[in-house]
Amino acid sequence: AGLRRDEVAVLAGISAEYVTRLEQGRDRHPSVEVLDALAGALGLDAEERSHLGMLAARGTAAAALDDELDPSVQTLIDSWPLTPAYVHGPRHAVIGANRLAVALSPSFGPGGMPARDLFLDPAVRNLYRDWDAVARKAVALLRSELAAQGGDGEALRDLIDELRSTDERFAELWAENDVRRSSVGATLLRHPIVGDLDLNYQKFAVLGAAGQMLVTYHAEPGSQTEDRLRALADTRHPA
């Protein structure tokens, strides 16, 4: 923040005229060396450097995005009785879930859109005791995934544009330009049936299926949350 164009150029060891061409989109193919120099001048960390590289590679060929869930993945998550799990596609719509995920939140069921509902559905918003922390991570993930999808990310961009125009907090977080992806961590829920749940989450890219992400939640063994997940699994809920 606060650096002038000529100052960026001096720090990166490139000409101010070339920085201008990059800013104006008149040069869309900077070399790896130029990207590294700019990243150093701007003080980017490893994750931000990776994001910059994805932005620069948008014009390259990429694997077609995949909205079809492999049946074997559905079989796998169905075999986890105490682990809520769902898979979302590249457009952030859920394409597969197990019964416990649906019991945790209908938003996690097939056809749901957890990222959208996090901001626009009051029931989902109230589910999270740590809503703002979850929202911040969700926005950073969306920005990172949009860069990774490049020209194929039109549907994801439509979702982002909708959220920017309809939710003030989303717009504020989007303006922060955070790209840090959080693939593991803790989240705190307040479930309307079984009460407070202290869960750990992990996210895994589904190999061989471009743009798909497996999201899982688990409790510490022997904890009260594990007992409550077991009670939730025993309740009647949609498949």
Side-chain angles (χ1 to χ4, degrees), residues 219-235:
E220 294 295 332
S223 66
Q224 186 178 51
T225 292
E226 185 182 57
D227 291 340
R228 289 176 176 176
L229 281 181
R230 187 173 288 107
L232 185 60
D234 289 339
T235 61

Side-chain angles (χ1 to χ4, degrees), residues 48-59:
E48 291 165 336
R49 285 172 180 262
S50 175
H51 183 73
L52 179 63
M54 286 191 292
L55 291 174
R58 276 186 169 181

Side-chain angles (χ1 to χ4, degrees), residues 9 47 54 85 102 104 110 136 157 162 189-190 206 215:
E47 196 151 13
M54 286 191 292
V102 178
L104 200 59
R136 185 176 295 277
R157 181 172 292 281
E162 176 191 9
L189 305 184
R190 178 168 290 114
V206 179
V215 182

Side-chain angles (χ1 to χ4, degrees), residues 99-174:
R99 291 176 60 86
L100 193 52
V102 178
L104 200 59
S105 172
S107 179
F108 297 161
M113 297 192 72
R116 182 183 186 276
D117 296 341
L118 181 65
F119 292 91
L120 302 185
D121 186 332
V124 175
R125 196 170 183 134
N126 291 334
L127 178 67
Y128 292 94
R129 290 146 55 203
D130 56 346
W131 181 86
D132 201 70
V134 173
R136 185 176 295 277
K137 293 173 185 176
V139 173
L141 177 63
L142 286 173
R143 180 178 289 280
S144 182
E145 290 188 357
L146 182 64
Q149 291 183 15
D152 292 323
E154 182 177 348
L156 189 56
R157 181 172 292 281
D158 288 343
L159 170 62
I160 291 166
D161 288 344
E162 176 191 9
L163 290 172
R164 288 177 68 190
S165 64
T166 55
D167 189 85
E168 182 178 355
R169 184 55 178 154
F170 183 94
E172 292 172 350
L173 292 171
W174 186 260

Side-chain angles (χ1 to χ4, degrees), residues 69-91:
L69 182 65
D70 189 313
S72 66
V73 177
Q74 183 67 56
T75 300
L76 173 66
I77 63 178
D78 283 342
S79 71
W80 298 339
L82 289 182
T83 303
Y86 67 87
V87 179
H88 70 70
R91 293 154 186 83

Side-chain angles (χ1 to χ4, degrees), residues 55-67:
L55 291 174
R58 276 186 169 181
T60 63
L65 300 179
D66 194 346
D67 275 317

Side-chain angles (χ1 to χ4, degrees), residues 181-227:
R181 302 180 66 140
S182 177
S183 60
V184 59
T187 194
L188 307 175
L189 305 184
R190 178 168 290 114
H191 194 272
I193 296 175
V194 296
D196 289 356
L197 299 169
D198 297 352
L199 294 169
N200 298 302
Y201 68 85
Q202 285 189 286
K203 300 178 181 180
F204 307 88
V206 179
L207 297 181
Q212 291 186 13
M213 185 76 68
L214 168 63
V215 182
T216 68
Y217 294 93
H218 65 277
E220 294 295 332
S223 66
Q224 186 178 51
T225 292
E226 185 182 57
D227 291 340

